[in-house]
Amino acid sequence: MAVLSRSISRLIHQLSANTVTAVGLLLSALVGAADFAAGADISLVFFYLVPIAFVAWYADSMRGTLVALACTFILYNVNALLGINPQSLQLGLIDLATHLGFFLIVTTLLARQRDLLDRERRASRTDFLTGALNRRAFIELASSEIERARRHSHAFTISYFDLDNFKTLNDDLGHAAGDAVLCRIVCIARQNLRAIDSVARLGGDEFALLLPETDNLAARS
């Protein structure tokens, strides 16, 4: 079950934000149809949170807000068709605003939680000084590339390098200068790498490059 859940999550993450939004709007319409079919005696208002949460989590708060508005509109019209909207215009507007506010609060909270989770995940995989991958992230990425190479016989290259006399630079010019040099190294590496390549700081002045789809000859060039 856990494997299936992870597979579904990976599949959804591969979808564009617009596709996720389209799926959310479709789910909203389906919930509205089910709400209407259930009749006036059974309220499915909380089921409208499913498409809202889906889009807010897998897309962003702006698109989640769009789906929240759509759900509010659908819910209001379903209630009107079932004859359960308040008779007073003022009470009807209050009811509409209450549902919309509730949906927007859920959207905002979920989107913020997702942002925090993404930041925490990036921080756990990134060297705090240079912004390069850290050792843990590099090992994970390299392991995945090794497995892919075994399965599909694709070449890849890992390159290791360190900085000569880096300790002397730190001693003579100070750690601030040393930190600036490390950041500059990563910046230069990124400027000369492809989008699919990765640079990692393994620790101290030690760095590594991961070059997918790159054989020995291509790496040397």
Side-chain angles (χ1 to χ4, degrees):
M1 191 66 178
V3 174
L4 178 61
S5 177
R6 287 195 295 269
S7 299
I8 294 174
S9 180
R10 282 196 296 268
L11 178 62
I12 295 174
H13 275 101
Q14 292 174 0
L15 301 177
S16 67
N18 288 337
T19 301
V20 170
T21 305
V23 173
L25 291 172
L26 176 60
L27 289 174
S28 302
L30 292 175
V31 172
D35 194 10
F36 179 74
D41 295 333
I42 302 175
S43 174
L44 300 183
V45 61
F46 288 103
F47 286 87
Y48 288 94
L49 293 177
V50 173
I52 293 172
F54 175 76
V55 176
W57 187 263
Y58 288 107
D60 52 47
S61 60
M62 182 182 69
R63 290 176 174 84
T65 298
L66 173 63
V67 175
L69 289 169
C71 286
T72 304
F73 176 80
I74 293 170
L75 176 60
Y76 181 82
N77 283 278
V78 167
N79 287 344
L81 291 172
L82 294 174
I84 58 177
N85 276 338
Q87 297 299 318
S88 166
L89 176 61
Q90 183 178 6
L91 291 177
L93 291 176
I94 292 175
D95 187 62
L96 184 68
T98 300
H99 285 123
L100 178 59
F102 175 62
F103 291 158
L104 291 179
I105 288 173
V106 172
T107 299
T108 301
L109 291 177
L110 280 175
R112 286 184 178 179
Q113 184 64 32
R114 179 56 192 268
D115 287 343
L116 289 173
L117 185 63
D118 287 343
R119 290 178 188 176
E120 184 179 340
R121 185 181 292 113
R122 286 194 297 269
S124 68
R125 296 173 56 83
T126 304
D127 175 57
F128 73 95
L129 174 63
T130 64
L133 296 178
N134 59 23
R135 178 186 292 271
R136 172 187 173 185
F138 182 78
I139 292 175
E140 291 177 358
L141 198 61
S143 299
S144 298
E145 194 62 34
I146 290 171
E147 182 60 32
R148 196 170 75 92
R150 287 174 178 169
R151 185 174 302 173
H152 303 291
S153 299
H154 289 181
F156 73 95
T157 297
I158 291 179
S159 176
Y160 167 87
F161 66 94
D162 60 11
L163 307 183
D164 294 337
N165 303 315
F166 183 70
K167 183 177 184 304
T168 302
L169 184 150
N170 269 334
D171 292 341
D172 293 345
L173 300 179
H175 287 283
D179 291 347
V181 168
L182 295 175
C183 292
R184 183 59 181 163
I185 290 295
V186 171
C187 182
I188 293 173
R190 285 175 170 163
Q191 291 173 352
N192 291 276
L193 293 176
R194 303 166 299 175
I196 63 172
D197 299 332
S198 301
V199 56
R201 183 187 178 200
L202 304 182
D205 62 341
E206 299 177 335
F207 294 88
L209 305 176
L210 177 62
L211 314 176
E213 302 293 340
T214 306
D215 58 20
N216 186 47
L217 181 61
R220 290 180 181 277
S221 63

